[in-house]
Amino acid sequence: MNVLVTAGPTREYFDEVWFLSNPSSGRTGFAIARVFADAGHDVTLVSGPTCLSAPVGVKFVPVTSTCELRDAVTQHVADAEVVIMAAAPVDYRPACPQAGKMKKTADKMLVELVRNPDILKGIGRNKGARILIGFALEAADLRSNALRKLTEKHLDLIVANSPSAFGGDRTSVEILGPGGVVDILDDVSKEELAGRLLDLVGNLSGGR
Ligand code: CTP
């Protein structure tokens, strides 16, 4: 199958130096891309800036901002039978990024931010026969917030995790579907999570 995976953070620049971002390492998305490619799928990995090397056998598309991520996803989604959005896109960007480097003059500074597109919600609106898997990063009310996102974004599965998953080798997640809890993985490697998603995609595609 053609599988489109996104990974990593995005960056939204205030000027040519300072940016708004988050600590996503990209490890989960890269592990998913690697595990699906090793299983023989055609994988495109669109990723924001990370320290990781592109997995062998994967088509790698680097991006920086959320709008660039949206553009790359839009370009590749038509061919994708499976979309797995493991990226952590920044939801707002500076309204008026400055050229050069901002100089510190005033004691206080107000920066206007404008909302970025919700990429996964956009794909969900035109889901077709695609299998769509999202992630939910929740600091509170993990399950209820994740289930709301699953419904709003028309997902087949959502992987709910907490900010403590950022950067580490291991993770603890709840995988939820429209019927509720599908699996709970406690302190597993990101490869093990990817392997479980591979199995679940196999089940979903077999049932279609
Ligand atoms: N996502 C996206 N586009 C965005 C933000 C998030 O496609 N601008 C995707 C993420 O890749 C993830 C899912 O939507 O698969 C949920 O992301 P998350 O950050 O948990 O939630 P948001 O939808 O951004 O909502 P909020 O920040 O209000 O919790």
Side-chain angles (χ1 to χ4, degrees):
M1 288 193 286
N2 277 315
V3 182
L4 176 61
V5 182
T6 69
T10 58
R11 287 181 185 175
E12 301 296 346
Y13 278 86
F14 295 101
D15 61 10
E16 288 171 26
V17 179
W18 303 104
F19 58 80
L20 188 63
S21 191
N22 61 60
S24 169
S25 66
R27 284 186 190 171
T28 301
F30 276 61
I32 294 168
R34 193 163 45 244
V35 164
F36 276 72
D38 287 350
H41 296 292
D42 289 323
V43 179
T44 300
L45 174 62
V46 183
S47 177
T50 73
C51 299
L52 307 172
S53 314
V56 175
V58 165
K59 180 175 179 188
F60 184 65
V61 183
V63 296
T64 302
S65 67
T66 296
C67 286
E68 285 175 23
L69 179 65
R70 187 262 327 268
D71 292 347
V73 165
T74 304
Q75 210 184 321
H76 291 94
V77 76
D79 295 334
E81 294 153 280
V82 180
V83 179
I84 305 178
M85 281 286 298
V90 176
D91 283 324
Y92 292 87
R93 65 183 184 279
C96 302
Q98 318 254 314
K101 179 170 179 269
M102 287 187 290
K103 286 293 176 195
K104 55 176 182 304
T105 48
D107 288 340
K108 277 189 187 174
M109 186 169 64
L110 282 177
V111 180
E112 190 184 1
L113 302 176
V114 291
R115 195 152 155 181
N116 272 331
D118 188 321
I119 302 163
L120 190 52
K121 202 172 195 172
I123 302 171
R125 280 193 214 103
N126 300 297
K127 182 174 188 294
R130 271 178 215 100
I131 294 170
L132 219 51
I133 302 180
F135 278 67
L137 185 73
E138 306 298 343
D141 304 323
L142 183 85
R143 198 175 290 178
S144 59
N145 279 330
L147 282 170
R148 182 179 44 76
K149 286 177 190 173
L150 175 105
T151 308
E152 278 176 10
K153 304 192 190 205
H154 304 285
L155 307 179
D156 295 289
L157 293 172
I158 193 156
V159 182
N161 59 9
S162 71
S164 61
F166 269 146
D169 286 328
R170 301 181 75 77
T171 188
S172 295
V173 302
E174 293 194 359
I175 304 177
L176 311 170
V181 178
V182 173
D183 209 347
I184 295 178
L185 304 180
D186 189 28
D187 191 26
V188 294
S189 71
K190 291 181 174 175
E191 279 70 24
E192 284 173 89
L193 166 58
R196 186 68 189 115
L197 292 178
L198 180 68
D199 293 342
L200 291 169
V201 165
N203 296 344
L204 286 167
S205 62
R208 288 191 175 169

